[in-house]
Amino acid sequence: YIIKPLSQEVEKNEIRLVVNAGKFQEDKDQPDHAHLLEHLAFNYLEGYTNFSNNTDLLSRLNLRKNDLHAFTFSNNTLYQFIYPKDENIALDTILDYSYEIASGKVVFNEEQINAERKAVYQEYLLQRPIKYYSHRKIFSKLLSCDKDVPNPDEFESLIMDSSTGALKRFYRDWYRPDLMTLIVVGNFRDPKIVERKIQKMFKDISMPEHPRQKTNCINQYLTKPSSFTVENNYDEKLSDSQFKFYFR
């Protein structure tokens, strides 16, 4: 954990739970599972059902829906919470919420998973996958641990028919103490009180007996032989005279 006290006056403090695992850690049977798990962990925990949409609870904690965020990146996943600095109940609740994400308390209900699969697919469509398909293929081949980029026509079936078991495996493999950091930043009356709360709450999370080795994709790229790749653009409607160069 990292606690950063601020000397200047601020209205709100911030808590971030960072999981140092993302899309690069997905196996072949885990299409966009880092993102799918982020959706599930953000919304469905043993002690918190759909926390971000629970208006009664948010009101009691003096929080708004846009104070809670989650993001998935290539090599990490971020859960971000902003709360009024003097709301100790909000601090305790967010720490407990983060603890549930970090300690194996995500609920894998098939109906809820299907709902989040649809949400992930909708987000995928908003990213204009056909337009950027060739770009992502090139980026994948050159930079990202040689992950396959799915054909846009196939992604819906890949995500909707994906295995819940594979999703649980991603959670078991990568949401573990050596890959997680809790960051608390703000103006505190006594940072030591915050530290004691974190120590007490998170002390019982144990490491798996045989943790998976995480591949360092950046080092892998820097040490690989020089390479050159060509990809045909997926969008056949583009004129033959339209092309792009990428220099990495």
Side-chain angles (χ1 to χ4, degrees), residues 198-212:
I198 293 172
Q199 290 174 339
K200 182 179 180 180
M201 188 173 293
F202 289 82
K203 66 181 180 181
D204 66 344
I205 301 178
S206 58
M207 278 286 291
E209 291 185 6
H210 305 288
R212 282 186 67 173

Side-chain angles (χ1 to χ4, degrees), residues 22-62:
K23 295 180 182 295
F24 284 174
Q25 281 64 57
E26 294 169 349
D27 295 329
K28 287 188 176 181
D29 64 342
Q30 295 173 327
D32 220 11
H33 275 38
H35 187 191
L36 179 57
L37 179 59
E38 170 238 293
H39 274 234
L40 206 64
F42 192 65
N43 289 297
Y44 305 108
L45 300 168
E46 290 181 9
Y48 301 93
T49 302
N50 213 2
F51 182 36
S52 63
N53 291 310
N54 188 333
T55 54
D56 289 339
L57 177 58
L58 293 179
S59 178
R60 291 199 301 271
L61 300 176
N62 200 14

Side-chain angles (χ1 to χ4, degrees), residues 151-218:
N151 184 306
D153 292 336
E154 299 172 352
F155 184 81
E156 182 179 11
S157 61
L158 284 175
I159 191 69
M160 294 307 299
D161 299 334
S162 63
S163 164
T164 298
L167 183 63
K168 291 179 179 179
R169 187 176 74 246
F170 189 93
Y171 187 41
R172 289 195 306 268
D173 284 344
W174 305 116
Y175 278 57
R176 61 185 206 232
D178 62 318
L179 296 178
M180 292 188 289
T181 304
L182 188 73
I183 303 171
V184 186
V185 179
N187 187 281
F188 310 107
R189 292 180 181 177
D190 186 351
K192 287 294 183 182
I193 293 177
V194 178
E195 182 172 22
R196 287 195 291 270
K197 286 182 177 183
I198 293 172
Q199 290 174 339
K200 182 179 180 180
M201 188 173 293
F202 289 82
K203 66 181 180 181
D204 66 344
I205 301 178
S206 58
M207 278 286 291
E209 291 185 6
H210 305 288
R212 282 186 67 173
Q213 185 71 29
K214 182 183 174 185
T215 302
N216 189 320
C217 298
I218 302 302

Side-chain angles (χ1 to χ4, degrees), residues 76-91:
N76 54 70
T77 305
L78 169 66
Y79 301 90
Q80 179 186 35
F81 314 96
I82 301 169
Y83 69 97
K85 68 171 186 175
D86 295 323
E87 289 285 354
N88 289 326
I89 297 177
L91 168 63

